[in-house]
Structure formats: C-alpha cells, structure tokens
Amino acid sequence: MSSTNRGTQRNADDYYVTPHWLIEDFLAAFSENCRFNFDEQTYPRILDPSAGGCEQYPMSYPTVLEKHGFTIVDSWDIREDSRALIRGCDFLKTNPTPNYHDVIITNPPFNVAQAFTEHALEMVPNGGLVIMLQRLNWLGSQKRKPMWQNLPLAAVYVHSKRPGFDPQKPSKTDSTEYAHFVFCKGYELAPELFVI
Ligand SMILES: C[S@@+](CC[C@H](N)C(=O)[O-])C[C@H]1O[C@@H](n2cnc3c(N)ncnc32)[C@H](O)[C@@H]1O
C-alpha cells in the first residue's frame, strides 16, 4: 500500500515496493518484545500472501525475513509477474489451510486490508501472528470502529520515519505515517504501543 496518489491513479494490483529498511526497523523492535519471542523456533512457518516483487525488485518481506534466518517463508501474489512462489493467487479466494502458517505478514493491497487481516486470522493457529503494514490512521474512521472492537490487536509499531514506496525515487516519502499492526489470534490483553 501507498497513500500517495490515493483517489487518483494507482499502480496495477496496488503493487508498491516496501523499503527493506522499514521491515528491518520493525523486526529490530519486534524481536525485543518478550511477549512474542519472534524467532524461527517459535514461529517456523511464515507466509507473505501479497509478496510483490517483479523483474526489477525482489519481494521485500521474504527477502528480509530470510536474511534474519527464517527458512520457511512462503510467498503468494495475484500478479503473474511477481516473484512469489505461487503466482496468480487471489489470497481472498484461497481456502485457508488452517494452522499451517504460524505468521502471516505483508503490506496488503490498500482497499482490502481488513479482508486480508480477517482471512489471515482464520488461517493461523491460536497464538499465531498476523502482521500488516498500514497507514497509521487505519486506527481511525467510524467505518472501522467495529473492526477494532473485534480484531485481536496485540501491538502497534509506529514508524516515526516516513517511508517511500518507489525504489526509483528513494528520497520521495509517502504523504502519511505508517505502522506495523500486530494481531495475535486469541489475544486478550490490551495492545502495546511502540514508536520506532
Ligand atoms: C502494496 S503491494 C506490496 C507488495 C509487497 N508485499 C511489498 O511489501 O513490497 C500489494 C501486493 O498485493 C498484490 N495483490 C493485490 N491483490 C491481491 C490479492 N487479492 N491476492 C494476492 N495478492 C494481491 C499485488 O500484486 C502487490 O504485489
């Protein structure tokens, strides 16, 4: 997702490239969180269901996660020209294989972020994680109030540095702030807030 150009022209299939430093910053902060102990032993099987990548650029989340020692990182994407292991796959039309993936993490297409989150939560086991990169103001709006009353939000990692989503223009940042939203299936405590 990128909020720049929203309401005007957007990339086909909402394809944007998440900068690796943003994922690195999140992982550095998240791995310090003792509630989740985010490592390969605790969470061995990861899925990025809208993994992106193209001829020019690698898939952001799988690339960074593999660098951090996660060996089973599945990747799906709806675009045939993505670099995902499974291409032409509409995540929202997949029949979830329950309890296979321990973590589902992505920067989802903007318009279906809530549906992606709900679908992903159906797939992970109790205690499994769903992590979505979204605009910080995803937390707002009357339309989304019921969603926040229902979804098991466990933590919000606010990125104080604005990212850009066009690798050809690395100095051009987006028009709003972003956060990694961490959901944990079955979580009942109040969510934690971190500014990174
Ligand atoms: C905002 S881009 C993010 C790409 C990559 N996750 C990243 O962070 O760099 C969203 C991606 O979702 C894919 N996509 C859009 N709709 C999809 C769907 N229904 N199922 C699976 N992938 C989808 C697009 O092709 C695109 O690669």
Side-chain angles (χ1 to χ4, degrees):
M1 175 195 54
S2 155
S3 83
T4 303
N5 297 333
R6 193 168 329 120
T8 54
Q9 194 185 358
R10 298 187 61 78
N11 291 350
D13 289 312
D14 217 12
Y15 174 46
Y16 294 91
V17 180
T18 304
H20 293 195
W21 64 259
L22 191 82
I23 303 168
E24 292 279 6
D25 283 2
F26 165 67
L27 290 180
F30 191 47
S31 54
E32 283 174 16
N33 186 326
C34 48
R35 278 198 194 173
F36 294 104
N37 200 19
F38 189 61
D39 59 28
E40 204 199 10
Q41 282 67 47
T42 317
Y43 301 101
R45 289 183 298 263
I46 301 189
L47 168 67
D48 182 340
S50 53
C54 58
E55 201 179 323
Q56 282 175 291
Y57 303 111
M59 299 176 288
S60 297
Y61 284 88
T63 302
V64 175
L65 287 163
E66 281 163 8
K67 200 175 127 197
H68 280 258
F70 291 91
T71 49
I72 303 176
V73 185
D74 291 329
S75 51
W76 303 348
D77 200 285
I78 203 165
R79 281 179 303 111
E80 293 291 352
D81 63 341
S82 97
R83 291 205 201 178
L85 293 171
I86 299 182
R87 296 183 281 270
C89 163
D90 181 342
F91 178 59
L92 297 176
K93 292 189 180 150
T94 56
N95 287 325
T97 308
N99 303 340
Y100 180 74
H101 292 104
D102 307 293
V103 178
I104 297 180
I105 182 169
T106 196
N107 171 358
F110 170 68
N111 286 331
V112 285
Q114 179 176 346
F116 258 58
T117 306
E118 289 166 349
H119 196 61
L121 280 164
E122 285 173 26
M123 292 173 63
V124 296
N126 235 18
L129 303 176
V130 170
I131 304 172
M132 296 283 157
L133 177 69
Q134 280 291 286
R135 290 172 297 134
L136 186 52
N137 70 1
W138 199 34
L139 284 169
S141 102
Q142 293 194 328
K143 188 178 141 204
R144 285 189 286 271
K145 187 176 172 193
M147 161 183 142
W148 292 116
Q149 288 172 326
N150 287 319
L151 291 185
L153 182 66
V156 180
Y157 288 80
V158 179
H159 290 275
S160 53
K161 187 176 165 196
R162 279 188 188 178
F165 293 91
D166 182 351
Q168 286 182 329
K169 297 177 187 158
S171 57
K172 188 177 169 217
T173 55
D174 206 85
S175 57
T176 190
E177 277 71 34
Y178 280 79
H180 276 93
F181 292 81
V182 179
F183 303 87
C184 176
K185 190 162 176 174
Y187 196 80
E188 289 179 348
L189 301 176
E192 298 177 297
L193 175 65
F194 301 89
V195 180
I196 53 180

